[in-house]
Amino acid sequence: MGIHLYNEPEIEKISKACGITANILDEIEYIIKEGISTAEIDDFTQKLCKKFSAEPAFLGYRGYPGAICTSVNDVVVHGIPSKSCVLKTGDIIGLDFGVLYEGYYGDSARTLIVGEVDDKTALLVDKTREALYKGISAAVVGNRVSDISYAVESYVSEFGFTAVREYTGHGIGRNLHEEPSIPNYGSPGSGPKIRNGMVFAIEPMINAGTHKVKLERDGWTVRTSDNLYSAHFEHTVAVIDGKAKVLTRGKSFN
Ligand code: MF3
Ligand code: CO
């Protein structure tokens, strides 16, 4: 299929879906506290989708059972909301969410701290957020896709953290997942050239310990192999006038 280049009116529509995605994540942030279950977060997410007349992009995607991914502590990505998963102080939770709105997709993720966490965990969350911005800054015309990958991995490795290899960022727009895939590790200077009109989701998944992960028997939940914590941030961006513009900007997560 190749990499789709979107024109201005299309990017405007993707931007709408992304704006709704960010607004919904902003509202979800308010209810994240000790004592809430991830199933309650999912219910709330579904209500917000109705309010914004948007479809949750993940619900039913390859059989995924939730409207949102709720990935707690050592869960890297794709944590399934559950009544038995109740947040407590010291937890971190990755909220990964996207919508389909008028034919276009938006996709974004943030990791939040519940109550108080230890310094290393706080650093992991901070540096993963920062790594996303390093990646976004590398998404410029003149660079190639792996320059984004290198920007992310070289940054987090300074702090002793590691980048997950099995899961990547991706093109997005008319489909949730399009070419190219955007790894969070690797050497610079390879992969497709970055061009105006490309739209993609950059999403570092960064581990406190080993980069290795394991898939649970539910077929979705991805955990770190050493059960140390993992953080995840994601923005959908469009390359316009030579540089990446963030489309999923929210109130707290800019
Ligand atoms: N942001 C995630 C991704 O791009 C969301 C996919 S979860 C799924 O892979 F349930 F939809 F698969
Ligand atoms: Co994504």
Side-chain angles (χ1 to χ4, degrees), residues 8-9 22 24 31 40 52 66 93 106 131 135 143 146 150 168 178 183 189 202 204-205 207 211 229 234 253:
E8 239 179 79
I24 290 177
I31 69 160
E40 289 173 287
F52 284 90
I93 179 169
N143 270 355
S146 90
Y150 179 74
T168 66
E178 298 183 357
I202 302 176
M205 290 149 258
N207 296 350
H211 69 83
Y229 285 11
E234 175 178 23
F253 178 37

Side-chain angles (χ1 to χ4, degrees), residues 24 43-56:
I24 290 177
D43 288 345
F44 187 60
T45 304
Q46 301 217 28
K47 286 201 188 91
L48 290 170
C49 287
K50 292 208 174 74
K51 173 177 154 187
F52 284 90
S53 305
E55 262 178 65

Side-chain angles (χ1 to χ4, degrees), residues 57-58 61 64 69 78 96 107 170 176-177 203 220 232 234:
F58 305 167
Y61 180 87
Y64 182 74
C69 299
H78 303 167
D96 188 354
D107 188 5
H170 48 93
L176 179 59
H177 295 126
E203 49 178 316
W220 284 105
H232 180 208
E234 175 178 23

Side-chain angles (χ1 to χ4, degrees), residues 110-242:
R110 317 172 177 179
T111 298
L112 305 180
I113 284 168
V114 182
E116 276 189 56
V117 299
D118 62 68
D119 289 351
K120 186 175 180 193
T121 302
L123 190 73
L124 174 71
V125 173
D126 271 2
K127 297 307 172 189
T128 304
R129 187 192 304 103
E130 199 55 39
L132 168 58
Y133 286 100
K134 297 289 178 194
I136 292 170
S137 300
V140 293
V141 172
N143 270 355
R144 290 174 182 267
V145 163
S146 90
D147 293 313
I148 300 172
S149 319
Y150 179 74
V152 168
E153 187 183 37
S154 59
Y155 180 71
V156 299
S157 70
E158 285 177 44
F159 306 96
F161 301 139
T162 61
V164 171
R165 302 180 167 211
E166 281 86 347
Y167 300 86
T168 66
H170 48 93
I172 180 171
R174 282 197 168 282
N175 306 282
L176 179 59
H177 295 126
E178 298 183 357
E179 287 178 40
S181 69
I182 304 177
N184 294 300
Y185 73 100
S187 321
S190 67
K193 285 185 175 164
I194 291 165
R195 297 185 193 282
N196 284 318
M198 283 186 179
V199 179
F200 38 66
I202 302 176
E203 49 178 316
M205 290 149 258
I206 304 301
N207 296 350
T210 178
H211 69 83
K212 291 193 182 130
V213 300
K214 58 197 178 193
L215 179 64
E216 266 184 22
R217 290 169 69 159
D218 62 18
W220 284 105
T221 311
V222 179
R223 265 182 219 276
T224 57
S225 291
D226 55 12
N227 296 109
L228 296 182
Y229 285 11
S230 183
H232 180 208
F233 283 85
E234 175 178 23
H235 268 316
T236 298
V237 307
V239 183
I240 300 167
D241 296 334

